[in-house]
Amino acid sequence: MSRSDQTEGLTALDRPNSYIGQSVPRPNLDRLLQGRGQYVSDLVLPRMVHVAFVRSPRAHARIAAIDTEAAKAMPGVVAVVTGRELAAVVTPWVGVLAHLKGLKSAPQHAMAIDRVCWQGEAVVAVLASSRALAEDAVEAVEVSYEELPAVTDMRSALDPATPVIHPDLGDNLAFERNHDAGAVDAAFAEADEVVEAEFVFGRHTGVTLEPRAVVADWNVGERRLTIYQGTQAPHMVQNIAAKHLDLAEQQVRVVCKDVGGSFGIKVHIYADEMATYGLAKLLRRPVKFVADRVESFNTDIHARDHICKGRIAVNRNGSIKAFEIDDLTGIGPYSMYPRTSAIEANQVVNLVGGQYTTPNYRARARVVFQNKNVTCQYRAVGHPIACSVTEGLVDLAARRIGMDPVQIRRLNLIGDDAYPCASPTGLRFEALSHHASLQKLLQMMDYEALRAEQARLRRRGIHRGIGLASFIEVTNPGAAFYGVGGARISSQDGVTVRLDAAGSVTCYTSITEQGQGSEAITAQIVASGLGVSIDRVRVVLGDTDATPYGGGTWASRAAGIGGEAALQSAKTLRGNILQVAAAILQARPADLDISDNAVVDPSSGERKIELSELARIVFFRPDTLPPGLQPEMVATRHFVPRQYGFAFTNGIQASWLEVDTATGFISLLDHWVVEDCGTVINPQLVDEQVRGGVVQGLGAALFEHCIYDERGQLTNANMADYLVPMAAEMPDIAVGHVVTPTKESELGAKGAGEAGTAGAAAAVANAVNDALSPFGVTITEIPLTPRVILSALGRA
Amino acid sequence: MKAPAFSYMRAESVEHALELLSRHGDAAKILSGGQSLLPALNLRLAAPAILIDIGRLDELRGIDLRDNVVTIGALTRHVDLLASEEILSSLPLLRQAAAHVAHPAIRNRGTIGGNLAHADPASEFPACMLALDARMVIRREDGERRVDARDFFRGIYETALEPCELLVAIEIPRPQSGSRTYFHEFVRRSGDYAMTGLAALAHLDGAQFADLRLSYFAIGDRPYLARATSHLVGVAITGERIAEAQAALDAELDPPDDQQASAAMRRHFARLLLSRCVANVLERPELAMEAVT
């Protein structure tokens, strides 16, 4: 798609020298590549101590006794603190939200007190002058455990014979949602064919380059807690830390400089992070916690781990009549705080079948407790499951009636001219482009030629497959996500833009940067909205003392929400500047514009006054300005979409792969994505976000799996045994765009960060089943390991 | 993931290293490339009191071909094997294998001696040593001895090395001209530990095998030289012969069951590697398609 197509009709783009729609290099790139990033992991403060945690080796046990005496005597040890001692400064929490009706969880403490509920839960904190000495002393802490039966199999978690993890809750059911729309029973009864399958999704996690890291500094003199943390949501951390440490919000400052990757892992409140805040307050000195890799595997939120039964009703003419699903997921012993662990299942219910026209849809989702690490929101929450189930069923239906997978989608995807409309679960779609996206994808991959090649190779015993996966994606969430449920998680964002005395611009935004390019797109939008060159714009983010209040960067929201706030604040400042310029130039503001760092005559382009000169007058010679004119060289604007609960996007992916039926190995040969995120602010950043997302989806499809044994032990908590996707196994990923800007904002941008992950695994699974179709084999389980493939083929 | 405290000593010469080993015995560990030892220390899976760093002993570095024996110094790095003309011309199997050892960053530091002394059963080089009938040159303060590869590997991370001994070099007889090699491993990702692998050396007599050494790895607690090749040596190779050899191989293997591969998968992979190897070496691709189950 050409640049003009992508940004057609965009007001900001009509201005000269716009950066919107251009692949502008990220302003933070040189700094990061030169090793001058400011990651919390590198931060050193005077009097700082390091904490290492004694973590439970058992999945479920009563803590009988803790002996810390030997550890306290170890070299370099400053303090050894138990969960009971820490509870004096940190109150427990319960991870529920009011709008998820019936969701329940038990009070969770920063460290275990009487009982541990998963392998890896922190039991004792050891603080020492270095992390190594703290780890030495951890080995000297003696904890006696009385083992309790562990609930590990989600399928039996609700059986009466299974022990209840939190007896006060009555059972192991955290949440259940039922939805019934249209006439499902009649549709299944009347349809020509009904196809069903059980889809199994392995538990996996997000592996960030920089682990979770916190430095907490309690300044007794100021009575203020400064938290340096790699987080996606600084204001949320501020609110939660204040609430549970008995502080007023203004007593907590959260600083978040560079963050080495997040993927949703760093948008939660972790018990060990809360413990670190509390330990700083208890010890009255800075405390640093940096999770190591083993800790990360055991405590960073896990995700997926769903078993979803699905049914589809289809007529022989290809018309899909109904979907029905029954989803089950195990979330660990607590619902995560404060966003809860019911969201993923809730999203599965919301999203299944959402790209298709059938109004008949029934769903049940059950969320159960188990003695494993907690699960919560990770990149593309619920989408990969919904997409794999929906698109897996659609392919099975197509095969049953002998129809090409493209054709059944053409017949059933919601028409591009049908908007606005709503899904059977009541999700409202402003405007989507399923058919245009499908058409573009088929062109990119040359579908017909690929099918011919597949047939040719199959005659030689080479089994290749094509898999399609169309999807819808939740982006730009408003208050409907968390705010309505009572969580103090902002859905609005704010941006302040300031013209400085030398004519440069400083911009403060409440969105955050974890490597995806938030700084870059903010600078692009501000430079374009204001009319200055991008090198004059400096973006400041990640400091609750400095930036406007806002949500941060998660749920594919930063560009769409924070970007619009940036555009509006820049335009407001431009208006302010033109007012002053008009007074200086004795002209009307409407006859002036700003371009290339100067106030210009828009018709001739003549430079009337440089911004640096204007700033000099404003700041140093205000006496020369007309009386009554008060220049305002700072503007702040906020934004949140309110017309739609979410800005839905859509897209479609395709996978082309080969299955070695002798070994069970899958070679990914090619992957294509077409997605519609509305206005594309920076094509390179969007494409790389999509590619990164695809790679994480491919990781789930083939490699990534947190493998627990029946006693609740995570057996592969290291980088040799937990297989992240790596470059050598990745296919080329071609990315195309269809552009349907949202009309809720002037910018028109929707989210793009999760689209890749949403559909990648579904495309691969469908391609594998396509490749194996001569064997009469259908596999609906990921990761698709050689063992799984060989078992299905009866060879291992 | 911080290593427990340890003492560090840098050996100034082989003699010095041997003296330190003799003095500290079990308490000491030799540090060469550190690619296995340092992760083990950081994971606190090993806690030696003393590390003896031999990294600066240049006398242990290098590849030398003399009298049809290739001598490889213990400190020769994997990347050196990959780049060496002598290895390419004399021991192509080692070059083939080296490309599969982990990743470039690890190959830049990891050493052949460290790899062999570590004796990871899923590692590529021990199997190559067995296939190539290599001898380990081992020194101690009071002398030097040579141990054949088949006697050197004793189990998971276990070798014939005594605590006071240092592996200083490997001597490998240069295979006669016209010999063929085959190397393949089944890995989930490039650079991973193998689920099953094979390093093979073959001597041909016309269209038949005069000798065939199939050295499997990640199939047991140490590299394993298959006896089943007796079904393939000195006979005309047909699908039936291969099937016989595969059945014999199956009977002699006792592979482990783990997260990456079940015992049944390993047996399957081992049989597959046999037929693929034979087909490759004999340049008869049709043989690879037969008799795999």
Side-chain angles (χ1 to χ4, degrees):
Chain A
M1 192 75 30
S2 74
R3 205 189 122 204
S4 59
D5 288 342
Q6 282 168 357
T7 51
E8 202 175 351
L10 188 70
T11 313
L13 229 224
D14 294 341
R15 300 177 49 72
N17 304 315
S18 174
Y19 294 97
I20 294 171
Q22 292 186 36
S23 294
V24 177
R26 299 151 60 173
N28 52 11
L29 216 50
D30 287 349
R31 182 168 57 82
L32 297 176
L33 290 175
Q34 289 175 27
R36 303 307 296 263
Q38 293 177 290
Y39 297 93
V40 176
S41 308
D42 301 325
L43 182 67
V44 176
L45 294 181
R47 299 177 61 249
M48 187 176 84
V49 293
H50 298 258
V51 61
F53 293 98
V54 177
R55 294 186 180 275
S56 170
R58 294 164 201 258
H60 198 195
R62 191 162 307 287
I63 300 170
I66 299 174
D67 184 350
T68 60
E69 287 313 307
K72 282 177 175 162
M74 297 277 286
V77 172
V78 172
V80 180
V81 179
T82 64
R84 193 175 303 282
E85 289 162 347
L86 187 67
V89 289
V90 186
T91 58
W93 54 87
V94 181
V96 295
L97 286 168
H99 66 311
L100 298 169
K101 288 187 184 60
L103 171 61
K104 63 194 186 207
S105 186
Q108 184 181 3
H109 286 269
M111 291 198 296
I113 295 180
D114 297 317
R115 186 172 63 124
V116 289
C117 287
W118 85 91
Q119 181 224 346
E121 185 172 5
V123 177
V124 177
V126 177
L127 298 107
S129 53
S130 76
R131 170 80 187 202
L133 290 172
E135 287 187 23
D136 286 348
V138 160
E139 294 184 346
V141 174
E142 285 186 30
V143 183
S144 313
Y145 297 98
E146 290 165 5
E147 190 149 0
L148 298 168
V151 179
T152 54
D153 183 357
M154 68 167 106
R155 289 178 197 261
S156 59
L158 299 177
D159 291 354
T162 302
V164 175
I165 295 175
H166 305 293
D168 289 350
L169 299 181
D171 56 30
N172 288 324
L173 183 67
F175 178 65
E176 175 166 347
R177 179 178 167 198
N178 288 278
H179 189 85
D180 200 341
V184 176
D185 289 330
F188 275 102
E190 291 161 13
D192 293 338
E193 299 283 351
V194 173
V195 188
E196 56 185 62
E198 180 178 273
F199 297 84
V200 177
F201 302 85
R203 183 181 258 255
H204 63 99
T205 185
V207 178
T208 57
L209 270 182
E210 186 196 22
R212 292 188 291 111
V214 184
V215 174
D217 182 10
W218 171 246
N219 184 319
V220 184
E222 264 191 326
R223 295 203 57 74
R224 217 157 178 249
L225 179 68
T226 302
I227 297 170
Y228 304 88
Q229 183 166 337
T231 175
Q232 300 172 239
H235 284 101
M236 183 194 84
V237 172
Q238 178 191 42
N239 169 258
I240 301 283
K243 183 174 174 182
H244 292 281
L245 272 74
D246 193 25
L247 298 170
E249 257 182 49
Q250 65 267 26
Q251 285 179 281
V252 179
R253 176 187 179 196
V254 178
V255 180
C256 173
K257 293 189 174 179
D258 293 310
V259 182
S262 54
F263 317 123
I265 296 298
K266 297 175 183 171
V267 76
H268 314 290
I269 298 291
Y270 289 85
D272 49 22
E273 293 166 0
M274 203 83 108
T276 306
Y277 316 152
L279 291 165
K281 196 164 174 233
L282 207 61
L283 270 67
R284 303 181 174 199
R285 61 194 292 182
V287 177
K288 182 176 199 171
F289 168 62
V290 181
D292 67 29
R293 248 297 118 218
V294 176
E295 286 182 296
S296 298
F297 277 119
N298 281 297
T299 63
D300 283 8
I301 57 110
H302 293 174
R304 320 308 183 215
D305 208 5
H306 285 245
I307 299 169
C308 189
K309 290 178 187 159
R311 288 209 298 161
I312 185 170
V314 66
N315 281 350
R316 273 186 282 278
N317 65 6
S319 174
I320 296 172
K321 307 312 287 183
F323 286 98
E324 179 172 11
I325 63 154
D326 186 3
D327 184 47
L328 177 67
T329 181
I331 57 164
Y334 298 102
S335 171
M336 195 69 181
Y337 191 57
R339 290 165 191 252
T340 85
S341 305
I343 296 282
E344 180 149 277
N346 198 53
Q347 288 289 51
V348 173
V349 172
N350 280 339
L351 296 169
V352 164
Q355 56 272 58
Y356 293 105
T357 52
T358 178
N360 306 315
Y361 174 49
R362 182 185 293 141
R364 175 170 77 156
R366 287 172 302 158
V367 175
V368 300
F369 293 116
Q370 44 178 193
N371 293 111
K372 297 180 182 176
N373 184 25
V374 290
T375 71
C376 202
Q377 284 78 282
Y378 163 64
R379 197 173 196 172
V381 190
H383 292 69
I385 292 148
C387 181
S388 293
V389 171
T390 305
E391 293 297 84
L393 288 172
V394 168
D395 265 22
L396 289 174
R399 196 185 300 175
R400 174 73 62 86
I401 61 171
M403 182 174 275
D404 186 276
V406 170
Q407 184 58 17
I408 195 169
R409 287 174 173 81
R410 279 210 177 104
L411 289 173
N412 291 282
L413 285 166
I414 297 173
D416 290 357
D417 57 359
Y419 303 97
C421 63
S423 77
T425 46
L427 301 170
R428 291 163 60 230
F429 303 133
E430 182 195 10
L432 300 175
S433 58
H434 290 299
H435 291 268
S437 298
L438 171 62
Q439 201 50 39
K440 188 174 177 71
L441 182 89
L442 297 176
Q443 284 165 12
M444 284 168 65
M445 66 194 288
D446 199 348
Y447 183 76
E448 296 304 330
L450 221 49
R451 281 282 177 219
E453 188 179 348
Q454 177 187 36
R456 203 161 48 240
L457 290 169
R458 194 167 274 171
R459 288 193 288 274
R460 291 171 41 203
I462 294 170
H463 299 284
R464 293 192 176 178
I466 299 169
L468 300 176
S470 67
F471 59 91
I472 52 173
E473 192 202 342
V474 173
T475 79
N476 293 4
F481 238 19
Y482 297 113
V484 298
R488 294 175 70 90
I489 299 170
S490 173
S491 53
Q492 62 87 57
D493 274 284
V495 174
T496 294
V497 181
R498 184 179 83 200
L499 183 73
D500 294 327
S504 58
V505 177
T506 307
C507 163
Y508 300 86
T509 176
S510 60
I511 67 169
T512 53
E513 162 87 51
Q514 301 106 36
Q516 62 276 81
S518 301
E519 279 187 55
I521 60 114
T522 302
Q524 284 177 266
I525 293 165
V526 168
S528 304
L530 198 52
V532 301
S533 54
I534 196 165
D535 57 357
R536 291 223 181 166
V537 180
R538 181 174 152 67
V539 177
V540 177
L541 34 67
D543 185 344
T544 56
D545 267 8
T547 72
Y549 199 91
T553 297
W554 40 270
S556 296
R557 64 185 303 283
I561 297 176
E564 177 69 6
L567 179 62
Q568 297 307 329
S569 64
K571 285 178 64 179
T572 305
L573 179 60
R574 187 173 90 225
N576 294 355
I577 291 170
L578 290 179
Q579 203 186 359
V580 175
I584 295 170
L585 298 168
Q586 300 191 342
R588 291 189 313 152
D591 295 335
L592 299 171
D593 199 359
I594 303 173
S595 176
D596 192 21
N597 309 312
V599 175
V600 300
D601 176 340
S603 52
S604 67
E606 184 196 348
R607 297 172 82 86
K608 294 289 200 181
I609 183 170
E610 297 294 321
L611 285 184
S612 55
E613 173 60 8
L614 182 140
R616 185 192 67 81
I617 294 168
V618 164
F619 290 109
F620 307 115
R621 292 303 307 274
D623 55 308
T624 64
L625 294 173
L629 176 69
Q630 175 55 55
E632 294 295 349
M633 295 296 100
V634 182
T636 299
R637 285 294 179 272
H638 294 82
F639 179 69
V640 64
R642 291 198 296 193
Q643 208 179 330
Y644 285 86
F646 312 97
F648 267 92
T649 69
N650 67 281
I652 184 163
Q653 303 194 18
S655 169
W656 170 238
L657 53 75
E658 184 172 319
V659 181
D660 182 338
T661 53
T663 64
F665 277 72
I666 295 166
S667 303
L668 303 173
L669 302 172
D670 255 316
H671 201 98
W672 300 268
V673 183
V674 174
E675 65 87 57
D676 183 348
C677 65
T679 300
V680 176
I681 299 164
N682 185 319
Q684 187 180 17
L685 284 176
V686 170
D687 288 359
E688 295 310 326
Q689 278 260 42
V690 170
R691 288 195 180 94
V694 166
V695 168
Q696 280 183 310
L698 297 176
L702 299 189
F703 300 113
E704 298 189 60
H705 199 188
C706 296
I707 303 172
Y708 278 87
D709 69 14
E710 67 283 0
R711 294 180 61 200
Q713 297 285 319
L714 181 57
T715 58
N716 62 336
N718 64 72
M719 295 299 285
D721 296 320
Y722 182 94
L723 309 182
V724 296
M726 291 178 72
E729 283 67 47
M730 292 299 105
D732 283 346
I733 301 164
V735 183
H737 302 279
V738 171
V739 176
T740 312
T742 173
K743 293 190 174 64
E744 262 211 83
S745 69
E746 186 179 343
L747 187 62
K750 301 186 257 191
E754 301 172 278
T757 312
V764 166
N766 281 350
V768 166
N769 284 324
D770 185 45
L772 296 181
S773 59
F775 298 85
V777 160
T778 301
I779 305 175
T780 51
E781 173 184 352
I782 60 169
L784 288 153
T785 64
R787 192 198 291 249
V788 168
I789 304 281
L790 287 176
S791 300
L793 292 168
R795 289 195 166 147
Chain B
M1 288 183 63
K2 304 288 182 194
F6 53 82
S7 297
Y8 171 89
M9 297 172 183
R10 190 163 67 223
E12 304 297 339
S13 65
V14 171
E15 289 70 26
H16 185 212
L18 294 173
E19 181 201 321
L20 291 171
L21 269 180
S22 165
R23 194 186 315 153
H24 298 292
D26 267 342
K29 267 277 186 192
I30 293 288
L31 172 66
S32 55
Q35 297 306 291
S36 299
L37 181 57
L38 294 189
L41 291 178
N42 287 339
L43 286 163
R44 296 190 176 223
L45 297 173
I50 299 156
L51 290 191
I52 302 170
D53 184 357
I54 59 169
R56 294 201 181 176
L57 304 184
D58 285 340
E59 57 199 288
L60 295 182
R61 221 180 295 279
I63 298 157
D64 186 42
L65 170 61
R66 200 173 302 174
D67 301 332
N68 278 326
V69 173
V70 182
T71 303
I72 304 173
L75 280 188
T76 306
R77 299 172 305 157
H78 309 331
V79 67
D80 302 327
L81 297 175
L82 272 172
S84 161
E85 288 299 322
E86 286 92 342
I87 296 294
L88 179 62
S89 59
S90 308
L91 300 171
L93 183 64
L94 270 193
R95 187 192 171 103
Q96 285 168 280
H100 292 272
V101 178
H103 305 280
I106 291 170
R107 296 198 290 261
N108 285 341
R109 284 183 174 273
T111 65
I112 182 86
N115 178 287
L116 297 176
H118 185 54
D120 188 318
S123 180
E124 294 84 356
F125 286 139
C128 293
M129 296 303 140
L130 202 56
L132 294 166
D133 207 10
R135 269 184 307 177
M136 310 295 149
V137 184
I138 295 167
R139 280 183 63 182
R140 57 203 298 164
E141 266 200 303
D142 56 358
E144 185 173 281
R145 64 182 180 125
R146 282 169 168 71
V147 177
D148 288 340
R150 64 176 171 273
D151 300 320
F152 182 76
F153 301 103
R154 298 271 174 91
I156 299 172
Y157 309 137
E158 274 186 51
T159 68
L161 284 167
E162 301 286 335
C164 63
E165 290 182 326
L166 183 67
L167 175 63
V168 293
I170 302 101
E171 293 174 348
I172 305 174
R174 182 183 188 173
Q176 55 189 259
S177 64
S179 66
R180 306 277 178 90
T181 61
Y182 176 84
F183 186 92
H184 189 77
E185 61 180 24
F186 290 111
V187 286
R188 297 279 301 277
R189 301 172 307 178
S190 165
D192 278 349
Y193 291 109
M195 297 155 81
T196 299
L198 173 64
L201 178 68
H203 299 299
L204 297 186
D205 179 7
Q208 296 186 2
F209 289 110
D211 189 17
L212 178 61
R213 296 172 68 84
L214 299 185
S215 179
Y216 284 94
F217 54 101
I219 199 84
D221 69 349
R222 68 194 85 175
Y224 181 80
L225 205 56
R227 294 190 298 269
T229 51
S230 59
H231 294 269
L232 299 169
V233 171
V235 297
I237 301 297
T238 60
E240 290 74 45
R241 292 289 91 75
I242 290 177
E244 276 172 28
Q246 286 174 324
L249 177 69
D250 204 54
E252 63 182 299
L253 291 177
D254 184 17
D257 212 336
D258 64 27
Q259 224 157 56
Q260 300 298 349
S262 63
M265 275 173 78
R266 288 197 157 88
R267 291 177 180 280
H268 174 72
F269 286 153
R271 290 191 298 262
L272 205 57
L273 284 167
L274 183 147
S275 58
R276 287 185 177 184
C277 170
V278 169
N280 180 284
V281 168
L282 297 180
E283 295 173 10
R284 289 172 59 190
E286 78 281 3
L287 292 174
M289 307 300 288
E290 294 173 28
V292 296
T293 53

